[in-house]
Each structure stands twice: as C-alpha cells, then as structure tokens.
C-alpha cells in the first residue's frame, strides 16, 4: 500500500491532493485511535512506514502544508504529538494555539493578509484564525484595516469564512476595548467603503454601533 502511495505522489499528484492524503495518514494510522486499533506487535512497523509516506507527502505550498491545523476547530493530534498533559484541556488548547500561531505567522510573512484569508477558506476554523490574528499576529491599530480587507465589494456576497473570521477578530474579553475597536473600524470603513459594506462589518450584537449609521445603512443592515 505504501508503495502505491509513493508511486501516486511521484506520478504528479497535486499539492492539495498530497496534503489531503497526508492528513488521512496522520489521523488514522498515526493517531491515538490508530494505535488502539493496531495490534501492538504490528504498530511499530506500520508506524515507521506511515511516517515515511507522511514525510514524503509534505506539500510545498505553505497553505496546504498548514491546512491540517485549521480544517476543524478541534485538532486531533497524532500519537507522537501527544504528551502526558494531553488530558488537560487547557494545556492542550495552549499547545494547539501555539502551533496555529506559528503556522499563521509563516503564512502572513510570506503572503500577508490575503494568505490568511485564503487559509480561512480552506477549513472550518476561520473564527480561530481571526482570534489568533488579533492576539498574536498584528497590532491592535491594524485591526480596523483587517476588518476592511475582510469585507467584500458591495456587489459581492461575503463568504462564511470571512464572516467567521471577523467574528473571531472581535472576540475580545475587554468590552470597552471591543467597543473602542468597533468605533475605530467604523471610521475607517465609513471612509473607504459604501454604507452597506460598513453595516455588514458590525456583528448583530453590536446594534448600538449600527444605530449610529444613517437611515439607509440601517435598513440595509
């Protein structure tokens, strides 16, 4: 089977297809569940072969390389990645957040915000991407620009990924800080986009911001 995987990869499989098969190997053969399903005597041999194929299938594209961290909100770690504290939810989340932040920083340095937006479109963890972008990737002063960049042109509908990314961006613990940020974003958006786009930038629960827009914008919202 591993020979077939190698032949398929060498025959010109696309980068995204390699990434997909690589992830399937990681979460089946190399996962904790995979270890439990395998006979203990066979696992060492199976794991060695799986790791060789896993390494050979590493994508060259940054987005495909790191997409496994953002396909879902919950990231299943392989058996080798698990630690003694894997049952400690807080420590596990901190570890995953660190891996995600490092991956996002690599993408951001190479491709800027467009790369972050494209990453958000590749999975179901866009809200986490928005949150981590604000927490450890850009300065607070740059957040309004992020919100503006995430908005679509007036004639286009907004993707769910970007909507969730914006929601994650605004997931702050400090309510006063969030309101201040929204006011700054409204000023930036109001000068650079049409009123309809400005209205769409504000989450539903921030109606007090929407109430300050003109009548037409409130109706559109």
């Amino acid at each position: 089977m591993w020979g077939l995987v190698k032949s398929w990869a060498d025959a010109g499989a696309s980068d995204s297809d390699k990434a997909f098969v690589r992830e399937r190997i990681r979460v089946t053969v190399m996962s904790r569940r995979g270890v439990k399903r395998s006979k203990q005597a066979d696992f060492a041999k199976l794991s060695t072969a799986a790791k060789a194929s896993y390494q050979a299938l590493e994508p060259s594209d940054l987005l495909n390389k790191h997409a496994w961290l953002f396909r879902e909100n919950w990231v299943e770690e392989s058996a080798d990645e698990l630690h003694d504290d894997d049952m400690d939810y807080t420590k596990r989340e901190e570890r995953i957040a660190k891996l995600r932040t490092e991956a996002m920083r690599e993408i951001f340095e190479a491709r800027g915000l467009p790369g972050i937006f494209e990453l958000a479109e590749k999975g179901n963890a866009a809200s986490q991407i928005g949150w981590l972008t604000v927490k450890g990737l850009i300065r607070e002063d740059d957040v309004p620009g992020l919100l503006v960049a995430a908005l679509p042109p007036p004639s286009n509908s907004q993707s769910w990924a970007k909507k969730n990314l914006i929601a994650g961006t605004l997931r702050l613990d400090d309510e006063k800080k969030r309101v201040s940020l929204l006011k700054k974003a409204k000023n930036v958006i109001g000068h650079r986009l049409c009123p309809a786009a400005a209205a769409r930038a504000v989450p539903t629960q921030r109606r007090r911001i929407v109430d300050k827009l003109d009548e037409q914008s409130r109706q559109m919202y």
Side-chain angles (χ1 to χ4, degrees):
M1 182 186 74
W2 301 116
L4 289 174
V5 171
K6 185 178 186 305
S7 297
W8 168 78
D10 293 343
S14 70
D15 207 57
S16 59
D17 284 345
K18 287 181 181 179
F20 178 82
V21 173
R22 190 173 192 255
E23 177 64 359
R24 296 307 302 163
I25 292 172
R26 193 186 72 82
V27 300
T28 53
V29 182
M30 297 169 63
S31 70
R32 180 166 50 182
R33 286 180 296 181
V35 173
K36 290 180 178 179
R37 285 195 298 265
S38 302
K39 294 180 180 178
Q40 192 170 7
D42 295 336
F43 178 72
K45 183 178 179 180
L46 179 63
S47 179
T48 299
K51 287 177 184 176
S53 292
Y54 183 79
Q55 293 172 358
L57 290 171
E58 181 175 85
S60 57
D61 178 78
L62 276 178
L63 294 177
N64 288 326
K65 177 181 176 181
H66 296 305
W68 68 276
L69 281 165
F70 304 95
R71 281 201 171 90
E72 301 295 340
N73 284 314
W74 176 267
V75 178
E76 182 174 358
E77 295 176 285
S78 71
D80 283 352
E81 293 164 333
L82 294 171
H83 301 271
D84 292 337
D85 61 2
D86 69 288
M87 296 307 293
D88 186 317
Y89 181 79
T90 300
K91 290 182 179 179
R92 185 189 185 282
E93 287 300 292
E94 289 174 353
R95 186 166 61 251
I96 294 298
K98 182 179 179 181
L99 288 173
R100 283 174 162 171
T101 301
E102 290 172 351
M104 289 171 56
R105 183 171 289 110
E106 188 178 355
I107 292 169
F108 182 71
E109 290 175 353
R111 302 192 184 183
L113 284 179
I116 296 298
F117 295 152
E118 191 174 349
L119 179 67
E121 298 282 356
K122 281 185 168 290
N124 298 315
S127 177
Q128 290 291 323
I129 291 173
W131 179 64
L132 290 172
T133 298
V134 173
K135 188 176 180 182
L137 209 61
I138 64 174
R139 299 177 305 159
E140 184 179 330
D141 291 344
D142 295 328
V143 175
L146 167 65
L147 296 175
V148 172
L151 287 167
S155 60
N156 296 336
S157 60
Q158 190 176 17
S159 73
W160 280 108
K162 285 187 176 179
K163 286 181 179 179
N164 288 334
L165 185 144
I166 290 174
T169 299
L170 297 172
R171 198 179 74 196
L172 304 173
D173 295 330
D174 189 331
E175 178 68 14
K176 290 183 179 179
K177 190 174 182 179
R178 178 166 44 231
V179 171
S180 175
L181 177 61
L182 285 168
K183 288 180 178 178
K184 291 178 182 178
K186 176 180 175 292
N187 291 334
V188 173
I189 293 167
H191 284 91
R192 294 179 59 182
L193 296 174
C194 74
R200 289 201 301 274
V202 187
T204 305
Q205 63 268 31
R206 306 301 164 201
R207 289 302 299 270
R208 56 179 150 179
I209 305 296
V210 177
D211 288 343
K212 295 180 181 180
L213 299 174
D214 58 70
E215 179 63 26
Q216 182 181 6
S217 298
R218 290 200 299 272
Q219 292 299 324
M220 287 181 174
Y221 183 83

